[in-house]
Amino acid sequence: MTRLLLLAGTAEARALATALAARPEIETLASLAGATRAPAPYPVPTRRGGFGGAAGLAAFLRAARIDLLVDATHPFAARMQANAAEAAGAVGLPRLRLSRPPWAPGPGDRWRRVADAEAAAAALPPGASAFLATGPGSLAPFLARRDLRLALRVVDPTEPPPGRPDLVLVTGRPPFRVEDEIAALQAQAATHLVCKNAGGEAGAAKLLAARALALPVVMIERPAAPETAPRAESVAAALAWIEARLRRGTSG
Ligand code: NAP
């Protein structure tokens, strides 16, 4: 029996978990940060909550006698990726980074590419009406711009922050359809879409919607990631890596 820890929280992690659930010789444990209140269930045993940094994760890997680590966290989950790299290195565990390719602008797209949320907020013109598909974690620099009209997409229903009761919260859970994204942007009278370059099909509908409406997009590019692991850009490639590991034994 091979024990595999899957650092999850993405559509790719869920698809990989589904494929691995059909493999009785692989005992897969999915790990979620616990940020979403009621995540859709995974088809494999699942734990929730942080490990306590890289040292905590290394201790967990040892205690649970994990053989393989697949880091399929979101491209913007930079801390978890760094922790996974450090912990796998410390334990001497094979690690795969599963990460979908970033999006690239298509014909007619009007993208302004920026490095982080601060730069994204600064890139919006005075009085803009911004639809933020950035997640609540990146909200602070936008809230500081009192001249902006802001709509933020959230997974869980929540209250606007006390200082900005005017913030519109748009509840929704991916995947979204293009027509629904067009309707959401129009309902908020958005002049700009702000998003992170997550990549993947599940979130691409908002970009197609912005294209259809000729809306400018402020695109926050990905943070730097540790480059020390083999990488897979698809679930199929991740499965191939796991197969290869099983064939040659998992060590190293
Ligand atoms: P992060 O900043 O890189 O990680 C913060 C801390 O959360 C980590 O140090 C770790 O705590 C814990 N953590 C993160 N992912 C975990 C996992 N899969 N299992 C157990 N603990 C985890 O991560 P984040 O950006 O907050 O993302 C949190 C989760 O949401 C990830 O699973 C990610 O895939 C998902 N997600 C993130 C985004 C995004 O835009 N950032 C978007 C969609 C989904 P300890 O140090 O205590 O271990």
Side-chain angles (χ1 to χ4, degrees):
M1 182 67 81
T2 296
R3 292 187 188 77
L4 186 149
L5 179 65
L6 173 61
L7 299 175
T10 56
E12 289 72 22
R14 186 177 296 283
L16 182 59
T18 302
L20 292 173
R23 301 290 301 269
E25 75 280 24
I26 306 174
E27 199 177 299
T28 303
L29 175 64
S31 176
L32 291 171
T36 303
R37 257 177 249 156
Y42 274 64
V44 295
T46 305
R47 63 168 298 287
R48 278 167 70 92
F51 297 94
L57 176 57
F60 181 93
L61 294 171
R62 286 196 180 96
R65 291 182 292 126
I66 299 296
D67 301 302
L68 296 176
L69 178 63
V70 177
D71 173 5
T73 55
H74 192 271
F76 281 78
R79 188 142 35 109
M80 191 68 242
Q81 288 172 52
N83 289 352
E86 190 179 332
V91 178
L93 206 65
R95 171 177 63 101
L96 178 74
R97 171 75 187 141
L98 167 56
S99 181
R100 57 222 184 188
W103 294 309
D109 283 346
R110 299 162 62 200
W111 283 21
R112 169 90 181 266
R113 303 168 103 146
V114 296
D116 52 30
E118 284 72 19
L124 291 166
S129 173
F131 189 98
L132 306 177
T134 52
S138 320
L139 194 53
F142 300 98
L143 293 180
R145 287 275 312 267
R146 309 296 306 192
D147 61 308
L148 299 177
R149 186 180 181 281
L150 297 172
L152 171 72
R153 172 137 58 212
V154 289
V155 174
D156 293 316
T158 179
E159 294 294 317
R164 287 297 296 260
D166 57 317
L167 174 74
V168 178
L169 294 160
V170 182
T171 310
R173 196 180 279 259
F176 299 101
R177 296 181 312 164
V178 179
E179 52 268 42
D180 294 336
E181 294 292 58
I182 290 174
L185 289 166
Q186 287 179 323
Q188 299 309 324
T191 60
H192 292 75
L193 169 67
V194 184
C195 58
K196 294 172 170 173
N197 198 339
E201 286 187 16
K206 57 181 170 282
L207 297 176
L208 298 176
R211 184 183 295 169
L213 296 171
L215 278 192
V217 174
V218 179
M219 182 63 76
I220 304 173
E221 294 298 346
R222 296 178 173 192
E227 293 298 338
T228 49
R231 300 178 75 83
E233 290 197 337
S234 67
V235 172
L239 284 168
W241 180 85
I242 293 166
E243 292 301 342
R245 282 282 158 190
L246 292 184
R247 275 199 302 276
R248 62 190 258 210
T250 51
S251 65

